[in-house]
Amino acid sequence: RVSGRVLEPDGVTGAANVSIHAIAQDATGGSWLPLDEVDGVTAADGTFELPMDPGVWRFEFLPGIETPLSSRLVTIPAEGAGQPVPLADVVLSRGRTVSGVVTATVTAAKPTEASYAQLRFFRVQNFAGVPASILLGTATADAHGNYQVLLPTAK
C-alpha cells in the first residue's frame, strides 16, 4: 500500500477530493510505456492510500479546474512487500494559463488551424538516471485551433 498527502498551494491545508490516477511504467529499453492503472481520491484532510504492486509508477494528481494537474514518477520497491510505502507530500501549484492556436501545414500553402487537436504538455527530468517525461497538463483545441490550458507555475 502507498500512502501520502496532497496539500493546497499554501503547503499546509489538506486538499480534499483530489483524483489520483497512477499508471505503471515500463522503463526497459529506455521507453516509458503504460502498463496498469490504479485510481483513488483524497480524503477530507488530503490523505490517500492506494494498493500498489512494486515497480515504477507515474502518479497524476487532478485537483480540479482552478488548480493544475501535478505529476510525479515514484518507485515502489519490491523489498518490504506488505509494508506501507509513504510518499512525500504533494503540494499543488496555483498555476498559470497558457493559450494559443495550433496550426498545421498540409500542403505548400499557408498554415491552417488544426481543429480539435489534442495537446499534452511535459517537463523532462531525470529519473533513476534516465530522462523521463512528467505530464504537466492536457488540452483540446476548438474548431479554430484555439486552446487554453492551466499549467503548474515554474519551480
Side-chain angles (χ1 to χ4, degrees), residues 24-98:
Q25 306 292 296
D26 176 14
T28 60
S31 64
W32 294 87
L33 304 172
L35 297 174
D36 200 6
E37 300 179 4
V38 175
D39 293 305
V41 177
T42 60
D45 63 355
T47 59
F48 66 91
E49 187 172 289
L50 298 171
M52 310 290 294
D53 288 329
V56 176
W57 292 79
R58 185 178 75 231
F59 281 77
E60 296 174 356
F61 300 91
L62 307 145
I65 58 174
E66 294 185 15
T67 309
L69 170 139
S70 182
S71 182
R72 64 174 55 171
L73 291 172
V74 176
T75 299
I76 308 300
E79 55 277 351
Q83 298 298 316
V85 176
L87 296 184
D89 288 349
V90 175
V91 180
L92 299 174
S93 174
R94 295 201 189 283
R96 58 194 161 123
T97 300
V98 175

Side-chain angles (χ1 to χ4, degrees), residues 65-137:
I65 58 174
E66 294 185 15
T67 309
L69 170 139
S70 182
S71 182
R72 64 174 55 171
L73 291 172
V74 176
T75 299
I76 308 300
E79 55 277 351
Q83 298 298 316
V85 176
L87 296 184
D89 288 349
V90 175
V91 180
L92 299 174
S93 174
R94 295 201 189 283
R96 58 194 161 123
T97 300
V98 175
S99 59
V101 179
V102 181
T103 60
T105 304
V106 180
T107 64
K110 67 178 185 159
T112 184
E113 301 95 8
S115 301
Y116 307 110
Q118 294 185 353
L119 298 99
R120 294 172 57 93
F121 297 82
F122 294 90
R123 174 183 64 241
V124 177
Q125 74 179 45
N126 281 332
F127 183 79
V130 176
S133 300
I134 304 297
L135 183 65
L136 298 177

